[in-house]
Amino acid sequence: MKPISEMRAVKFTESNYIKPFSLMFKQGEKDIKWDLMDCHDGVFIIIYNRNRNTLVCVKQFRPAVYYKCIPAFDRPAEGPIDTEKYPPTNGLTVEFCAGIVDKNKSLEEIAVDEVREECGYEIKVSDLQKIISCRSGLSITGTTQTYFYTEVTDHMKVSDGGGVENEGEDIDVVEYTIPQIRDIVTQSDVLNGSTSLLFGLMWFLTNKIVLNM
């Protein structure tokens, strides 16, 4: 990960990715205002490397995770953030290869692009197994997340991955062995991983490892 510096919080203006708004409605006789965000659906790809018996994941800096790691009393709404006191490494997360649905392509085609861009493997649509589509961010976004599974080999590696730099991505590719995966899902706190990571790891252990034992 490239060094992070000159961190500061600023007021929200506009974004290509999220659009805050509110819905007003009546529920029975009660007037309700509910704050929402319109944002893109997403795809997640669980990648298993058959040669090394590992899951291929990505590690990257997530500003939201970093910001929430700062205690509320020291978390500015505006202004500079002390990255010496709160190192940016606090915002590093482990995730599955993933991407937003923002192109005029099928979900499978978007997944293929993300596997190549983020992790450096060249796969085909036919290499993907759809696992499930479900909702996330139920109270604020209600987006649909679709999970895929694919298997790769070392000879399918065409680049080091790392994402698309002009899209602001700075990604490290990391791999986890089966014992490491089991360690992750049995921890009481997984503060550098999301529910999507834990779901994917448990799905993999249940449907690919247990069935092959």
Side-chain angles (χ1 to χ4, degrees):
M1 185 184 76
K2 298 182 181 70
I4 291 173
S5 60
E6 300 182 23
M7 178 87 66
R8 66 189 190 279
V10 298
K11 286 186 177 179
F12 182 86
T13 51
E14 60 180 290
S15 168
N16 293 327
Y17 302 102
I18 62 171
K19 295 179 176 62
F21 68 103
S22 299
L23 280 181
M24 306 289 295
F25 57 95
K26 272 188 175 294
Q27 190 164 23
E29 297 302 315
K30 185 177 181 180
D31 291 317
I32 294 177
K33 172 179 174 288
W34 201 277
D35 299 328
L36 305 171
M37 279 196 299
D38 185 15
C39 56
H40 296 288
D41 294 334
V43 295
F44 295 84
I45 309 97
I46 301 169
I47 305 171
Y48 173 64
N49 186 308
R50 292 199 299 266
N51 292 130
R52 282 177 275 188
N53 194 26
T54 57
L55 282 188
V56 181
C57 299
V58 298
K59 182 179 286 188
Q60 58 187 312
F61 175 75
R62 290 297 194 182
V65 173
Y66 171 76
Y67 186 74
K68 291 296 284 186
C69 284
I70 301 172
F73 67 84
D74 218 6
R75 196 185 299 150
E78 277 191 271
I81 296 173
D82 187 347
T83 52
E84 291 292 327
K85 186 176 182 181
Y86 302 109
T89 50
N90 292 342
L92 286 179
T93 61
V94 175
E95 308 171 33
F96 286 116
C97 175
I100 59 174
V101 181
D102 63 344
K103 304 178 184 71
N104 187 25
K105 293 184 174 183
S106 69
L107 297 179
E108 290 80 4
E109 289 170 325
I110 291 173
V112 167
D113 289 345
E114 295 297 337
V115 171
R116 181 178 60 254
E117 292 168 5
E118 291 193 355
C119 298
Y121 290 95
E122 191 69 61
I123 66 169
K124 304 184 294 293
V125 165
S126 58
D127 295 325
L128 291 165
Q129 171 192 344
K130 181 180 175 181
I131 300 171
I132 198 170
S133 292
C134 56
R135 297 286 182 182
S136 69
L138 302 184
S139 64
I140 297 177
T141 64
T143 50
T144 300
Q145 309 293 344
T146 300
Y147 294 79
F148 294 99
Y149 173 77
T150 191
E151 296 186 357
V152 298
T153 58
D154 289 340
H155 83 271
M156 297 165 70
K157 187 88 167 172
V158 295
S159 76
D160 292 333
V164 181
E165 193 162 333
N166 62 14
E167 292 181 1
E169 294 182 315
D170 184 8
I171 293 170
D172 291 332
V173 180
V174 292
E175 297 186 20
Y176 291 93
T177 64
I178 306 307
Q180 288 173 322
I181 294 168
R182 290 198 173 102
D183 286 343
I184 291 171
V185 300
T186 54
Q187 292 178 41
S188 60
D189 295 295
V190 188
L191 297 180
N192 67 334
S194 66
T195 52
S196 60
L197 174 75
L198 295 177
F199 165 77
L201 295 180
M202 292 177 180
W203 179 90
F204 175 75
L205 290 174
T206 302
N207 292 277
K208 297 299 177 178
I209 299 304
V210 172
L211 290 181
N212 292 328
M213 290 179 64

